[in-house]
Amino acid sequence: MLVSLNDYSAAVFDLDGTLLNTLRDISEAANRSLQRHGYPSHPANAFCAFIGDGPDVLFQRATQAGKDSSPCITELVETYREECIRQQDRYTTLYPGLTEFMPHLQTAGLQLTILTNKRQLHAERCVERFLDRWEWQVVLGSGDHIPRKPDPAGALKIASDLNTAPEKCLYFGDTDVDMWTAKRAGMTAVGVLWGFRNQQELESAGADVIIRHPKDLIEQEG
């Protein structure tokens, strides 16, 4: 599928693994949390498979916990949030190519938005620290009012807030959760391969377009 930016009015971005490489910060905070509660730690790359569905699922995967482990998972998540504050995103970086890509989208008239399973305050802090060179119309994180992805409610709220139809939105993400969210919301699902997951996962989850580098979409436009 070829994409013409002229056909769209908004771009919805996942945060971790799509805009920001947060793997080291997440893995270090999570491993400290696991160790504090008596669980073994994992290599950083192992967290590529744990990330994407929020911290509860992250620790279910990291501990191989069953359904009866909710109190344990709750404690791990609380500790993890404390560790994330201590970590202060010290190793987080912007992915290469985005400094050229984002202005290209803005020049094409697309409104920029973010939808993440991070908590709202953490998402806003990341935007302020790493992404404030661009104007974001909506930054939507997880909270009591919006279910986590892959529920499409957050994506649909963004479209509604922008007063645009979902089919006029490009959705960029690096996991199957992102592709499911985009498809369920009726948006064009763009899978990015610079993040945490692989091409097979993105294709299986229904990606309409897959790009290896932000410039791929620019060159396609050209």
Side-chain angles (χ1 to χ4, degrees):
M1 174 181 177
L2 296 178
V3 171
S4 171
L5 297 182
N6 292 329
D7 294 334
Y8 298 91
S9 58
V12 182
F13 286 90
D14 170 51
L15 191 57
D16 297 301
T18 302
L19 293 174
L20 299 177
N21 185 349
T22 55
L23 182 61
R24 184 173 176 182
D25 281 314
I26 289 173
S27 63
E28 289 195 4
N31 274 332
R32 286 197 301 269
S33 305
L34 290 166
Q35 291 164 359
R36 284 175 59 180
H37 290 275
Y39 290 94
S41 59
H42 298 273
N45 285 342
F47 285 87
C48 290
F50 301 159
I51 295 168
D53 295 271
D56 301 70
V57 177
L58 183 157
F59 284 108
Q60 287 172 1
R61 292 167 176 163
T63 61
Q64 298 184 332
K67 293 183 179 179
D68 298 328
S69 60
S70 293
C72 169
I73 297 300
T74 298
E75 291 178 357
L76 281 164
V77 170
E78 289 175 354
T79 303
Y80 172 69
R81 286 174 176 155
E82 294 171 4
E83 292 292 345
C84 284
I85 293 172
R86 290 178 56 195
Q87 188 77 11
Q88 287 293 312
D89 304 306
R90 71 185 67 174
Y91 300 113
T92 291
T93 58
L94 188 69
Y95 280 106
L98 291 176
T99 53
E100 297 79 26
F101 184 56
M102 307 306 285
H104 182 76
L105 295 180
Q106 290 181 307
T107 300
L110 274 70
Q111 300 179 86
L112 305 182
T113 71
I114 291 172
L115 177 63
T116 175
N117 278 339
K118 277 189 184 300
R119 298 185 83 180
Q120 183 70 33
L121 288 177
H122 194 181
E124 290 172 357
R125 188 173 76 230
C126 285
V127 170
E128 181 179 356
R129 182 172 177 186
F130 300 104
L131 302 165
D132 67 345
R133 72 192 77 179
W134 303 295
E135 181 178 355
W136 300 94
Q137 300 301 318
V138 181
V139 176
L140 189 59
S142 68
D144 296 336
H145 59 300
I146 293 291
R148 287 193 180 119
K149 301 180 289 184
D151 191 297
L156 292 171
K157 183 180 188 309
I158 287 175
S160 176
D161 288 349
L162 298 179
N163 196 29
T164 191
E167 58 266 26
K168 291 290 187 178
C169 299
L170 286 170
Y171 187 111
F172 296 85
D174 68 305
T175 70
D176 53 4
V177 168
D178 292 309
M179 301 301 97
W180 292 330
T181 303
K183 301 300 285 187
R184 292 172 185 178
M187 299 178 175
T188 297
V190 182
V192 307
L193 291 178
W194 57 79
F196 300 150
R197 304 289 176 80
N198 59 38
Q199 183 167 347
Q200 181 179 357
E201 175 177 313
L202 296 173
E203 289 177 342
S204 297
D208 297 301
V209 182
I210 294 179
I211 56 177
R212 295 185 177 275
H213 190 279
K215 68 181 181 182
D216 293 348
L217 202 59
I218 296 175
E219 290 174 354
Q220 181 175 294
E221 263 300 285

